[in-house]
Amino acid sequence: MTDPPPPPQLLEVASKVDARLASILDQQSHRWRAVDPRLSEAVDELDRMVTSGGKRLRAAFCYWAWKGFGGGTPIGEAPTRANGHDPERQIIDIGAAFEFLQVFALIHDDIMDASTTRRGTKTVHVTHAERVIDEGWRGEARRYGDGVAILVGDLGHVYADQLVGSIGGRTRELWDELRIELNLGQYLDMRSAAAGTLDLETARQVATFKSALYTIVRPLQVGASLAGRTDPSVLDQLDRFGRPLGRAFQLRDDALGVLGDEKRLGKPVGDDLREGKPTELVAWGLTGADDAQRAVLDTIGDPDLTPSQVDELVQVLRDTGAVDRNEAEISRLVDEASAVLADLPVSDEGRNALTALATYVADRTI
């Protein structure tokens, strides 16, 4: 299957954000290496994960909401470069903050999920557990690896907050809210998997917190608020646009997690089934399953599922119509979001960019 090319509006933002991330991490690595070379190891490990991939979608949604609502002047500054201020610097910093926050979440998720690879490379906790063994250090390798990963993830969170800086008002409230939602969504995800709660309502609640709000709604609202649009009507419209699109993003993610190409995804396929993650795809499979198919689906959550057992589960999800329903729901949700976008009071440039991002979210294969 051919990947849809990332839209130029995404690549434009990603390029600027990547340059900012590289600058920060290079400066921080040099700073701490001068104090003690061992300290820079944590920064360099964060750098490894930040630069190993990522689509920069959150940064792009934030940027184009800001741009679409007339952003371009730093808060509290005149609309000129004469005073040395770059009108886009603040929004790029916020975009970089979203990426640091995302890496924090991924590194911690990998510990909780016992994942071995991320973005085509070894996860942080695995890398440092192996270091204990390779270098003959003392203590339990797994605990050391987990500990290092927690700290590296936390470092990303600190850098994210530094970039948000002294921004206050509604923008800061939205930033704080998304961080709370991200953590509570992960808690609900873990709890539901442990309890074997795979119903449709739970799956949608997890998707709302972990994808709809965190990936799309809050970045859009943060961008709009930085452009001075904090009126409830605008923030509500962005919510009504972002929620269905965010759910479509999660449905695509769920499908890729069981149907995708492991080499291209850069992470194991089938792990969501081994972990028993609550997804709409699985909930629809359970709804449409007969007794024999349900017996197969009841193996979801077994961490020792073999590749052949995963293949059998995938076949049941196809046979029950769950895969087709997932695709149909993605299309319906994108149409719902597009209808809201048509009435959003943004510039033509902003609308075109958000349309391109919405299409990419739904059609991506990685």
Side-chain angles (χ1 to χ4, degrees), residues 9-34:
Q9 297 95 333
L10 176 58
L11 296 176
E12 176 186 342
V13 176
S15 176
K16 295 175 182 178
V17 170
D18 283 346
R20 183 67 176 129
L21 290 167
S23 174
I24 294 166
L25 288 165
D26 183 65
Q27 186 272 330
Q28 288 294 307
S29 181
H30 280 87
R31 174 193 175 188
W32 293 110
R33 188 177 298 115

PDB file of all heavy atoms in Angstrom, residues 9-34:
ATOM      1  N   GLN A   9       1.736  21.571   4.088  1.00  0.00           N
ATOM      2  CA  GLN A   9       1.492  22.369   5.299  1.00  0.00           C
ATOM      3  C   GLN A   9       2.042  21.674   6.543  1.00  0.00           C
ATOM      4  O   GLN A   9       2.475  22.336   7.485  1.00  0.00           O
ATOM      5  CB  GLN A   9      -0.001  22.625   5.478  1.00  0.00           C
ATOM      6  CG  GLN A   9      -0.631  23.455   4.357  1.00  0.00           C
ATOM      7  CD  GLN A   9      -1.254  22.589   3.280  1.00  0.00           C
ATOM      8  OE1 GLN A   9      -0.833  21.447   3.061  1.00  0.00           O
ATOM      9  NE2 GLN A   9      -2.263  23.117   2.606  1.00  0.00           N
ATOM     10  N   LEU A  10       2.024  20.340   6.544  1.00  0.00           N
ATOM     11  CA  LEU A  10       2.607  19.587   7.651  1.00  0.00           C
ATOM     12  C   LEU A  10       4.127  19.641   7.592  1.00  0.00           C
ATOM     13  O   LEU A  10       4.806  19.863   8.604  1.00  0.00           O
ATOM     14  CB  LEU A  10       2.126  18.137   7.616  1.00  0.00           C
ATOM     15  CG  LEU A  10       2.723  17.177   8.648  1.00  0.00           C
ATOM     16  CD1 LEU A  10       2.478  17.665  10.069  1.00  0.00           C
ATOM     17  CD2 LEU A  10       2.152  15.769   8.470  1.00  0.00           C
ATOM     18  N   LEU A  11       4.683  19.449   6.397  1.00  0.00           N
ATOM     19  CA  LEU A  11       6.136  19.455   6.235  1.00  0.00           C
ATOM     20  C   LEU A  11       6.730  20.816   6.588  1.00  0.00           C
ATOM     21  O   LEU A  11       7.819  20.896   7.161  1.00  0.00           O
ATOM     22  CB  LEU A  11       6.498  19.074   4.803  1.00  0.00           C
ATOM     23  CG  LEU A  11       6.104  17.655   4.371  1.00  0.00           C
ATOM     24  CD1 LEU A  11       6.429  17.437   2.900  1.00  0.00           C
ATOM     25  CD2 LEU A  11       6.823  16.615   5.228  1.00  0.00           C
ATOM     26  N   GLU A  12       6.008  21.874   6.243  1.00  0.00           N
ATOM     27  CA  GLU A  12       6.483  23.227   6.542  1.00  0.00           C
ATOM     28  C   GLU A  12       6.641  23.439   8.043  1.00  0.00           C
ATOM     29  O   GLU A  12       7.675  23.940   8.516  1.00  0.00           O
ATOM     30  CB  GLU A  12       5.495  24.247   5.973  1.00  0.00           C
ATOM     31  CG  GLU A  12       5.827  25.693   6.307  1.00  0.00           C
ATOM     32  CD  GLU A  12       4.750  26.668   5.850  1.00  0.00           C
ATOM     33  OE1 GLU A  12       3.915  26.298   5.000  1.00  0.00           O
ATOM     34  OE2 GLU A  12       4.736  27.813   6.355  1.00  0.00           O
ATOM     35  N   VAL A  13       5.628  23.045   8.789  1.00  0.00           N
ATOM     36  CA  VAL A  13       5.676  23.207  10.240  1.00  0.00           C
ATOM     37  C   VAL A  13       6.711  22.255  10.845  1.00  0.00           C
ATOM     38  O   VAL A  13       7.486  22.642  11.729  1.00  0.00           O
ATOM     39  CB  VAL A  13       4.292  22.972  10.870  1.00  0.00           C
ATOM     40  CG1 VAL A  13       4.367  23.035  12.392  1.00  0.00           C
ATOM     41  CG2 VAL A  13       3.291  23.993  10.342  1.00  0.00           C
ATOM     42  N   ALA A  14       6.724  21.009  10.381  1.00  0.00           N
ATOM     43  CA  ALA A  14       7.655  20.015  10.913  1.00  0.00           C
ATOM     44  C   ALA A  14       9.099  20.479  10.766  1.00  0.00           C
ATOM     45  O   ALA A  14       9.918  20.299  11.682  1.00  0.00           O
ATOM     46  CB  ALA A  14       7.445  18.675  10.222  1.00  0.00           C
ATOM     47  N   SER A  15       9.414  21.085   9.627  1.00  0.00           N
ATOM     48  CA  SER A  15      10.778  21.550   9.393  1.00  0.00           C
ATOM     49  C   SER A  15      11.187  22.614  10.407  1.00  0.00           C
ATOM     50  O   SER A  15      12.291  22.573  10.970  1.00  0.00           O
ATOM     51  CB  SER A  15      10.883  22.110   7.970  1.00  0.00           C
ATOM     52  OG  SER A  15      12.164  22.664   7.739  1.00  0.00           O
ATOM     53  N   LYS A  16      10.288  23.551  10.666  1.00  0.00           N
ATOM     54  CA  LYS A  16      10.591  24.617  11.623  1.00  0.00           C
ATOM     55  C   LYS A  16      10.700  24.076  13.048  1.00  0.00           C
ATOM     56  O   LYS A  16      11.588  24.470  13.810  1.00  0.00           O
ATOM     57  CB  LYS A  16       9.500  25.685  11.559  1.00  0.00           C
ATOM     58  CG  LYS A  16       9.442  26.424  10.226  1.00  0.00           C
ATOM     59  CD  LYS A  16       8.251  27.381  10.189  1.00  0.00           C
ATOM     60  CE  LYS A  16       8.163  28.094   8.844  1.00  0.00           C
ATOM     61  NZ  LYS A  16       6.986  29.006   8.773  1.00  0.00           N
ATOM     62  N   VAL A  17       9.786  23.185  13.408  1.00  0.00           N
ATOM     63  CA  VAL A  17       9.797  22.618  14.750  1.00  0.00           C
ATOM     64  C   VAL A  17      11.020  21.730  14.956  1.00  0.00           C
ATOM     65  O   VAL A  17      11.663  21.774  16.016  1.00  0.00           O
ATOM     66  CB  VAL A  17       8.490  21.841  15.021  1.00  0.00           C
ATOM     67  CG1 VAL A  17       8.585  21.033  16.311  1.00  0.00           C
ATOM     68  CG2 VAL A  17       7.313  22.804  15.092  1.00  0.00           C
ATOM     69  N   ASP A  18      11.369  20.936  13.947  1.00  0.00           N
ATOM     70  CA  ASP A  18      12.545  20.080  14.053  1.00  0.00           C
ATOM     71  C   ASP A  18      13.815  20.906  14.278  1.00  0.00           C
ATOM     72  O   ASP A  18      14.685  20.530  15.069  1.00  0.00           O
ATOM     73  CB  ASP A  18      12.700  19.226  12.798  1.00  0.00           C
ATOM     74  CG  ASP A  18      11.739  18.052  12.772  1.00  0.00           C
ATOM     75  OD1 ASP A  18      11.149  17.736  13.816  1.00  0.00           O
ATOM     76  OD2 ASP A  18      11.576  17.442  11.694  1.00  0.00           O
ATOM     77  N   ALA A  19      13.916  22.010  13.567  1.00  0.00           N
ATOM     78  CA  ALA A  19      15.095  22.871  13.734  1.00  0.00           C
ATOM     79  C   ALA A  19      15.150  23.431  15.151  1.00  0.00           C
ATOM     80  O   ALA A  19      16.236  23.523  15.751  1.00  0.00           O
ATOM     81  CB  ALA A  19      15.057  24.007  12.709  1.00  0.00           C
ATOM     82  N   ARG A  20      14.015  23.803  15.690  1.00  0.00           N
ATOM     83  CA  ARG A  20      13.973  24.343  17.061  1.00  0.00           C
ATOM     84  C   ARG A  20      14.337  23.268  18.080  1.00  0.00           C
ATOM     85  O   ARG A  20      15.105  23.509  19.018  1.00  0.00           O
ATOM     86  CB  ARG A  20      12.576  24.895  17.348  1.00  0.00           C
ATOM     87  CG  ARG A  20      12.443  25.541  18.721  1.00  0.00           C
ATOM     88  CD  ARG A  20      13.266  26.794  18.834  1.00  0.00           C
ATOM     89  NE  ARG A  20      13.062  27.450  20.126  1.00  0.00           N
ATOM     90  CZ  ARG A  20      14.041  27.825  20.943  1.00  0.00           C
ATOM     91  NH1 ARG A  20      15.314  27.614  20.610  1.00  0.00           N
ATOM     92  NH2 ARG A  20      13.770  28.420  22.080  1.00  0.00           N
ATOM     93  N   LEU A  21      13.792  22.068  17.898  1.00  0.00           N
ATOM     94  CA  LEU A  21      14.112  20.964  18.802  1.00  0.00           C
ATOM     95  C   LEU A  21      15.604  20.651  18.775  1.00  0.00           C
ATOM     96  O   LEU A  21      16.229  20.461  19.821  1.00  0.00           O
ATOM     97  CB  LEU A  21      13.314  19.720  18.399  1.00  0.00           C
ATOM     98  CG  LEU A  21      11.804  19.765  18.641  1.00  0.00           C
ATOM     99  CD1 LEU A  21      11.121  18.616  17.905  1.00  0.00           C
ATOM    100  CD2 LEU A  21      11.491  19.697  20.138  1.00  0.00           C
ATOM    101  N   ALA A  22      16.177  20.603  17.569  1.00  0.00           N
ATOM    102  CA  ALA A  22      17.600  20.296  17.425  1.00  0.00           C
ATOM    103  C   ALA A  22      18.451  21.357  18.122  1.00  0.00           C
ATOM    104  O   ALA A  22      19.451  21.044  18.788  1.00  0.00           O
ATOM    105  CB  ALA A  22      17.977  20.199  15.950  1.00  0.00           C
ATOM    106  N   SER A  23      18.054  22.623  17.977  1.00  0.00           N
ATOM    107  CA  SER A  23      18.808  23.710  18.598  1.00  0.00           C
ATOM    108  C   SER A  23      18.783  23.604  20.121  1.00  0.00           C
ATOM    109  O   SER A  23      19.817  23.748  20.783  1.00  0.00           O
ATOM    110  CB  SER A  23      18.207  25.047  18.150  1.00  0.00           C
ATOM    111  OG  SER A  23      18.806  26.127  18.836  1.00  0.00           O
ATOM    112  N   ILE A  24      17.602  23.342  20.667  1.00  0.00           N
ATOM    113  CA  ILE A  24      17.471  23.230  22.126  1.00  0.00           C
ATOM    114  C   ILE A  24      18.294  22.069  22.661  1.00  0.00           C
ATOM    115  O   ILE A  24      19.049  22.205  23.623  1.00  0.00           O
ATOM    116  CB  ILE A  24      15.995  23.055  22.520  1.00  0.00           C
ATOM    117  CG1 ILE A  24      15.193  24.314  22.199  1.00  0.00           C
ATOM    118  CG2 ILE A  24      15.859  22.688  23.998  1.00  0.00           C
ATOM    119  CD1 ILE A  24      13.695  24.103  22.246  1.00  0.00           C
ATOM    120  N   LEU A  25      18.155  20.913  22.031  1.00  0.00           N
ATOM    121  CA  LEU A  25      18.821  19.714  22.537  1.00  0.00           C
ATOM    122  C   LEU A  25      20.338  19.807  22.370  1.00  0.00           C
ATOM    123  O   LEU A  25      21.084  19.330  23.235  1.00  0.00           O
ATOM    124  CB  LEU A  25      18.263  18.483  21.830  1.00  0.00           C
ATOM    125  CG  LEU A  25      16.834  18.138  22.261  1.00  0.00           C
ATOM    126  CD1 LEU A  25      16.188  17.160  21.288  1.00  0.00           C
ATOM    127  CD2 LEU A  25      16.821  17.571  23.680  1.00  0.00           C
ATOM    128  N   ASP A  26      20.796  20.421  21.289  1.00  0.00           N
ATOM    129  CA  ASP A  26      22.236  20.602  21.107  1.00  0.00           C
ATOM    130  C   ASP A  26      22.796  21.528  22.185  1.00  0.00           C
ATOM    131  O   ASP A  26      23.844  21.242  22.797  1.00  0.00           O
ATOM    132  CB  ASP A  26      22.503  21.184  19.715  1.00  0.00           C
ATOM    133  CG  ASP A  26      23.991  21.326  19.436  1.00  0.00           C
ATOM    134  OD1 ASP A  26      24.694  20.298  19.364  1.00  0.00           O
ATOM    135  OD2 ASP A  26      24.460  22.473  19.284  1.00  0.00           O
ATOM    136  N   GLN A  27      22.084  22.613  22.453  1.00  0.00           N
ATOM    137  CA  GLN A  27      22.533  23.562  23.489  1.00  0.00           C
ATOM    138  C   GLN A  27      22.545  22.916  24.864  1.00  0.00           C
ATOM    139  O   GLN A  27      23.496  23.086  25.638  1.00  0.00           O
ATOM    140  CB  GLN A  27      21.616  24.784  23.460  1.00  0.00           C
ATOM    141  CG  GLN A  27      22.049  25.910  24.389  1.00  0.00           C
ATOM    142  CD  GLN A  27      21.479  25.774  25.803  1.00  0.00           C
ATOM    143  OE1 GLN A  27      20.394  25.224  25.988  1.00  0.00           O
ATOM    144  NE2 GLN A  27      22.230  26.255  26.792  1.00  0.00           N
ATOM    145  N   GLN A  28      21.495  22.148  25.163  1.00  0.00           N
ATOM    146  CA  GLN A  28      21.407  21.504  26.467  1.00  0.00           C
ATOM    147  C   GLN A  28      22.465  20.410  26.637  1.00  0.00           C
ATOM    148  O   GLN A  28      23.024  20.244  27.726  1.00  0.00           O
ATOM    149  CB  GLN A  28      20.008  20.922  26.661  1.00  0.00           C
ATOM    150  CG  GLN A  28      18.931  21.956  26.879  1.00  0.00           C
ATOM    151  CD  GLN A  28      19.121  22.709  28.195  1.00  0.00           C
ATOM    152  OE1 GLN A  28      19.252  22.104  29.263  1.00  0.00           O
ATOM    153  NE2 GLN A  28      19.162  24.032  28.124  1.00  0.00           N
ATOM    154  N   SER A  29      22.730  19.686  25.574  1.00  0.00           N
ATOM    155  CA  SER A  29      23.756  18.644  25.654  1.00  0.00           C
ATOM    156  C   SER A  29      25.123  19.255  25.945  1.00  0.00           C
ATOM    157  O   SER A  29      25.871  18.773  26.810  1.00  0.00           O
ATOM    158  CB  SER A  29      23.796  17.851  24.343  1.00  0.00           C
ATOM    159  OG  SER A  29      24.772  16.831  24.407  1.00  0.00           O
ATOM    160  N   HIS A  30      25.468  20.327  25.236  1.00  0.00           N
ATOM    161  CA  HIS A  30      26.754  20.991  25.476  1.00  0.00           C
ATOM    162  C   HIS A  30      26.819  21.581  26.889  1.00  0.00           C
ATOM    163  O   HIS A  30      27.859  21.513  27.546  1.00  0.00           O
ATOM    164  CB  HIS A  30      26.970  22.103  24.437  1.00  0.00           C
ATOM    165  CG  HIS A  30      27.457  21.604  23.125  1.00  0.00           C
ATOM    166  ND1 HIS A  30      26.612  21.164  22.122  1.00  0.00           N
ATOM    167  CD2 HIS A  30      28.711  21.442  22.637  1.00  0.00           C
ATOM    168  CE1 HIS A  30      27.321  20.777  21.078  1.00  0.00           C
ATOM    169  NE2 HIS A  30      28.599  20.933  21.356  1.00  0.00           N
ATOM    170  N   ARG A  31      25.697  22.146  27.322  1.00  0.00           N
ATOM    171  CA  ARG A  31      25.679  22.753  28.652  1.00  0.00           C
ATOM    172  C   ARG A  31      25.996  21.730  29.734  1.00  0.00           C
ATOM    173  O   ARG A  31      26.852  21.953  30.587  1.00  0.00           O
ATOM    174  CB  ARG A  31      24.299  23.368  28.903  1.00  0.00           C
ATOM    175  CG  ARG A  31      24.135  23.890  30.315  1.00  0.00           C
ATOM    176  CD  ARG A  31      22.681  24.207  30.646  1.00  0.00           C
ATOM    177  NE  ARG A  31      22.541  24.592  32.044  1.00  0.00           N
ATOM    178  CZ  ARG A  31      21.376  24.766  32.653  1.00  0.00           C
ATOM    179  NH1 ARG A  31      20.242  24.573  31.999  1.00  0.00           N
ATOM    180  NH2 ARG A  31      21.333  25.110  33.928  1.00  0.00           N
ATOM    181  N   TRP A  32      25.331  20.591  29.700  1.00  0.00           N
ATOM    182  CA  TRP A  32      25.482  19.628  30.781  1.00  0.00           C
ATOM    183  C   TRP A  32      26.743  18.772  30.629  1.00  0.00           C
ATOM    184  O   TRP A  32      27.298  18.308  31.623  1.00  0.00           O
ATOM    185  CB  TRP A  32      24.234  18.748  30.880  1.00  0.00           C
ATOM    186  CG  TRP A  32      23.052  19.559  31.317  1.00  0.00           C
ATOM    187  CD1 TRP A  32      21.964  19.921  30.583  1.00  0.00           C
ATOM    188  CD2 TRP A  32      22.881  20.175  32.601  1.00  0.00           C
ATOM    189  NE1 TRP A  32      21.115  20.713  31.310  1.00  0.00           N
ATOM    190  CE2 TRP A  32      21.657  20.881  32.560  1.00  0.00           C
ATOM    191  CE3 TRP A  32      23.634  20.199  33.774  1.00  0.00           C
ATOM    192  CZ2 TRP A  32      21.173  21.603  33.647  1.00  0.00           C
ATOM    193  CZ3 TRP A  32      23.155  20.913  34.870  1.00  0.00           C
ATOM    194  CH2 TRP A  32      21.936  21.606  34.796  1.00  0.00           C
ATOM    195  N   ARG A  33      27.216  18.635  29.382  1.00  0.00           N
ATOM    196  CA  ARG A  33      28.480  17.918  29.192  1.00  0.00           C
ATOM    197  C   ARG A  33      29.632  18.689  29.838  1.00  0.00           C
ATOM    198  O   ARG A  33      30.588  18.094  30.352  1.00  0.00           O
ATOM    199  CB  ARG A  33      28.747  17.713  27.690  1.00  0.00           C
ATOM    200  CG  ARG A  33      29.962  16.808  27.419  1.00  0.00           C
ATOM    201  CD  ARG A  33      30.172  16.563  25.937  1.00  0.00           C
ATOM    202  NE  ARG A  33      29.027  15.882  25.353  1.00  0.00           N
ATOM    203  CZ  ARG A  33      28.233  16.412  24.433  1.00  0.00           C
ATOM    204  NH1 ARG A  33      28.458  17.638  23.994  1.00  0.00           N
ATOM    205  NH2 ARG A  33      27.224  15.729  23.946  1.00  0.00           N
ATOM    206  N   ALA A  34      29.538  20.018  29.802  1.00  0.00           N
ATOM    207  CA  ALA A  34      30.581  20.850  30.414  1.00  0.00           C
ATOM    208  C   ALA A  34      30.596  20.710  31.936  1.00  0.00           C
ATOM    209  O   ALA A  34      31.633  20.888  32.575  1.00  0.00           O
ATOM    210  CB  ALA A  34      30.369  22.315  30.023  1.00  0.00           C
TER     211      ALA A  34
END
